[in-house]
Amino acid sequence: MRRNGDIDVHVAVRARADVGEGPVWNPETAGLHWVDILAGHIHTSDLETGVTTTLTVPTSVGAAGRRVAGGFVAATAAGFAEVGDDGTFRPRVDLLPDGIRMNDAKCDRFGRLWAGSTALDFATGQGALHVLDLDWTTRVVLDGLSLPNGIGWSPEDSVLYLVDTAERVVLAFDVDQATCALTHRRVLREFSGSTGIPDGLSVDAAGCLWVAMWGGGRLVRLAPDGEVLAELPVPVAQPSSCAFVGQRLDTLCVTSARGGLGLAPDDDSPDGSVLAISGVGVTGTPVGWFGG
């Protein structure tokens, strides 16, 4: 456990995820959904007990969101699929060629899933941002990306935030919610040096961004203009994403990754676990469920 003033950081779910990612809070069950990408695991964790149930699908899973109809929508190696609460796997949209896979994804409050695709070797310019509509049709709304990652919206849904991890930038766009058109592209923040690279993100009710810094062992809070407002160290080397959870959305959960650290099998470090951070002094914004 780590304390920093009134902030409390502790391991909520002890795990050994190779690439833990995509935390999503479920207010109906008070559970946290998250994935281990390359293992094809969709986890649901009780943050009070740390007990986790796992669905395993026959593909990588960049992220999974809840469906209004039940079960999950998953961003997979080939495209998009339905996953039942019993683990039933049903591919619905296969649109990606060999060598490309879906990565991070998030549902907006209009019931659509936004997902980034990337080359397996993270080749420059081979990634794109896709929108999966409620009728399971898809469209590319942005191309020329390298490793699209964290996705979020301003509280009033007028701005889309997107991380390109390989380019070390957090981008911002004006977004037309009727058409999903993105305009006025700008670099909100560029990171350099050895302080880690931006990965997943969450937006708080004040409109500020919390960005997990992969390799940097910390979260960074950015103002809507990109100014760094705070840095919060965490006891994992590769924090991958974060989400506000709890009845009041006032706790931050952070996923992490164990892969690539060269840890021994019996190493009991928290890398690969899910952290919970309380006392940050802000609340989050709710994440939508897929309406298709």
Side-chain angles (χ1 to χ4, degrees):
M1 182 178 295
R2 178 194 304 247
R3 293 186 181 275
N4 181 8
D6 293 329
I7 294 177
D8 174 58
V9 183
H10 67 276
V11 175
V13 181
R14 177 68 65 170
R16 304 171 71 85
D18 191 48
V19 188
E21 259 284 8
V24 177
W25 174 247
N26 185 335
E28 292 190 357
T29 63
L32 183 78
H33 307 302
W34 57 288
V35 304
D36 190 345
I37 294 178
L38 299 180
H41 290 164
I42 302 174
H43 299 299
T44 300
S45 296
D46 184 320
L47 299 180
E48 293 295 325
T49 65
V51 173
T52 296
T53 59
T54 301
L55 304 176
T56 302
V57 299
T59 177
S60 65
V61 181
R66 286 298 295 179
R67 295 180 64 214
V68 173
F72 299 89
V73 56
T76 68
F80 301 105
E82 294 178 24
V83 181
D85 286 319
D86 61 355
T88 303
F89 180 74
R90 181 188 177 197
R92 289 290 301 267
V93 182
D94 290 345
L95 75 163
L96 299 179
D98 290 343
I100 305 289
R101 68 166 175 86
M102 288 294 180
N103 195 44
D104 204 0
K106 191 171 290 182
C107 292
D108 65 22
R109 288 191 286 275
F110 303 92
R112 301 169 298 217
L113 182 72
W114 297 63
S117 61
T118 183
L120 296 180
D121 61 358
F122 308 135
T124 301
Q126 296 303 301
L129 181 63
H130 308 255
V131 173
L132 177 66
D133 285 301
L134 279 64
D135 62 358
W136 291 86
T137 61
T138 66
R139 47 191 153 151
V140 173
V141 294
L142 185 66
D143 57 15
L145 300 166
S146 296
L147 178 51
N149 236 316
I151 301 168
W153 294 266
S154 61
E156 71 283 359
D157 293 311
S158 62
V159 179
L160 173 83
Y161 300 107
L162 175 68
V163 168
D164 192 329
T165 297
E167 304 301 327
R168 295 175 171 260
V169 295
V170 180
L171 304 172
F173 304 83
D174 294 344
V175 55
D176 183 332
Q177 291 296 349
T179 65
C180 296
L182 302 178
T183 57
H184 189 204
R185 174 176 175 154
R186 61 266 192 198
V187 174
L188 191 73
R189 188 79 188 184
E190 183 173 7
F191 294 90
S192 59
S194 58
T195 57
I197 54 180
D199 198 332
L201 65 79
S202 187
V203 179
D204 65 33
C208 298
L209 289 69
W210 293 79
V211 183
M213 297 299 294
W214 177 280
R218 64 195 175 111
L219 302 182
V220 174
R221 188 183 187 220
L222 301 179
D225 64 0
E227 177 188 359
V228 175
L229 299 177
E231 298 189 13
L232 179 61
V234 292
V236 292
Q238 297 175 156
S240 56
S241 191
C242 56
F244 284 92
V245 307
Q247 184 178 5
R248 295 182 296 276
L249 296 179
D250 57 355
T251 297
L252 262 177
C253 269
V254 181
T255 50
S256 66
R258 195 174 182 87
L261 294 177
L263 299 175
D266 60 351
D267 187 287
D268 65 353
S269 71
D271 297 279
S273 297
V274 177
L275 309 177
I277 307 174
S278 58
V280 294
V282 295
T283 58
T285 53
V287 174
W289 289 24
F290 183 59

